[in-house]
Amino acid sequence: MKIIHTEASLGWGGQEIRILSEASGIEKMGHEIEIWASPNSNIIREATAMGLKIKPLPISEKRISNIFKIRSEIKKSAPDIINTHSSTDTWLVALANTTIRNSPPLIRTRHISAPVPKNFASRWLYTHATTHIVTTGNALKKQLVEENGFPASNITSIPTGIDIKRFYPGDRFEARKNFAVEEFNKIDGLSVDNAEGAFYLFVNIQAVEKDSMKFCLELLDKAGIATVPGVGFGSDGYFRFSYATDLETIKEGISRIATFVKNY
């Protein structure tokens, strides 16, 4: 079965993580998966890193020209199912899909609790253009049924779970360390072992720069990230990175390091 996931969002968070986690899992079950999103979106970058098939498309803006582009791609790709995830991509796909004979079923996943407008257009979108609605929690399903009057039989709740390989009850520092290791190993030229120790990682930069003092000084100057050169620990070609902070700060820091390395 060929399944296309669309996402209009340019950001990166729980919604995008869920989309790619589901897509990857379904692909492992033997289905063909493709991610349609804006060329400059984070989900395209992450999907590429995961080895998922992507198709960059103008799907983040509601324009008539974009409807025709998506219509053309649907006809060429001939998917068995299209699963949309945000408002803009749902409208674009729905309008394109209605003009295609024998069009594929459209599944709309609702990830957020923002109210759905109570108007004719939204009702058409959710009850006619959409084959089925998936919500990421029972409260979202209840909201659509009670506040919008959408038929409950046309809505399935699949609550978002937890990836126990990355998040689990226990030591928060351990979870942050695992996250940092995984993110550093995605950066071309850098690598890090998941070593036991305090709240630090030693990141191998030898494929990029063997002089750790030079690298760390430029990283501080150009990216505003303070790290400790490995030469002080007898490990030139490495730098020490602390994960003794919150997850968002770690994420931002590694993102800046990735950009710095890319332009180094």
Side-chain angles (χ1 to χ4, degrees):
M1 181 178 290
K2 183 173 185 178
I3 303 169
I4 289 172
H5 286 273
T6 69
E7 175 55 80
S9 168
L10 301 179
W12 180 251
Q15 177 167 321
E16 292 76 22
I17 291 171
R18 169 166 171 153
I19 293 168
L20 295 189
S21 296
E22 286 186 359
S24 178
I26 293 172
E27 184 180 62
K28 289 175 182 176
M29 295 170 66
H31 300 289
E32 183 180 354
I33 300 294
E34 193 164 280
I35 307 297
W36 290 7
S38 178
N40 60 333
S41 64
N42 282 288
I43 196 170
I44 283 287
R45 182 195 68 210
E46 295 294 330
T48 302
M50 291 174 66
L52 292 169
K53 187 176 180 181
I54 63 166
K55 186 178 290 292
L57 287 172
I59 206 164
S60 296
E61 295 181 284
K62 294 176 182 176
R63 294 182 179 179
I64 293 176
S65 59
N66 291 346
I67 295 173
F68 285 106
K69 289 176 182 176
I70 290 168
R71 181 182 188 275
S72 175
E73 290 298 334
I74 293 173
K75 293 184 72 174
K76 283 194 294 184
S77 297
D80 296 293
I81 293 174
I82 302 180
N83 190 174
T84 65
H85 294 272
S86 289
S87 175
T88 298
D89 56 290
T90 299
W91 276 106
L92 293 174
V93 171
L95 292 170
N97 217 29
T98 55
T99 66
I100 299 173
R101 181 178 296 179
N102 298 321
S103 59
L106 172 58
I107 308 299
R108 166 63 158 120
T109 298
R110 283 280 299 180
H111 296 263
I112 60 174
S113 59
V116 174
K118 299 175 184 178
N119 55 41
F120 173 80
S122 293
R123 188 164 189 84
W124 170 84
L125 181 67
Y126 279 86
T127 61
H128 294 281
T130 300
T131 306
H132 200 79
I133 302 167
V134 173
T135 63
T136 57
N138 292 323
L140 297 180
K141 176 178 179 178
K142 183 178 179 182
Q143 180 186 49
L144 294 178
V145 173
E146 294 184 356
E147 295 183 15
N148 293 90
F150 298 159
S153 59
N154 199 43
I155 307 172
T156 300
S157 173
I158 305 177
T160 300
I162 298 173
D163 184 350
I164 59 175
K165 293 180 181 178
R166 297 179 65 183
F167 305 102
Y168 51 88
D171 190 342
R172 287 179 293 175
F173 283 109
E174 183 72 14
R176 292 168 190 169
K177 179 184 75 172
N178 292 340
F179 174 81
V181 168
E182 183 177 332
E183 293 303 302
F184 271 123
N185 285 329
K186 291 179 182 177
I187 302 173
D188 288 340
L190 304 191
S191 63
V192 58
D193 294 327
N194 195 355
E196 299 297 328
F199 305 131
Y200 306 102
L201 296 175
F202 276 91
V203 182
N204 187 336
I205 60 170
Q206 294 181 74
V208 178
E209 174 61 71
K210 291 182 169 54
D211 186 337
S212 60
M213 180 66 74
K214 177 176 180 289
F215 181 92
C216 290
L217 287 174
E218 290 193 28
L219 179 63
L220 178 61
D221 179 56
K222 296 180 180 178
I225 302 296
T227 55
V228 182
V231 65
F233 304 94
S235 300
D236 210 4
Y238 288 77
F239 69 77
R240 192 177 77 169
F241 178 87
S242 171
Y243 55 87
T245 185
D246 61 274
L247 193 60
E248 285 304 310
T249 301
I250 294 170
K251 181 180 177 182
E252 174 65 20
I254 296 176
S255 176
R256 291 192 195 182
I257 292 171
T259 300
F260 173 77
V261 169
K262 183 178 180 180
N263 299 318
Y264 193 79

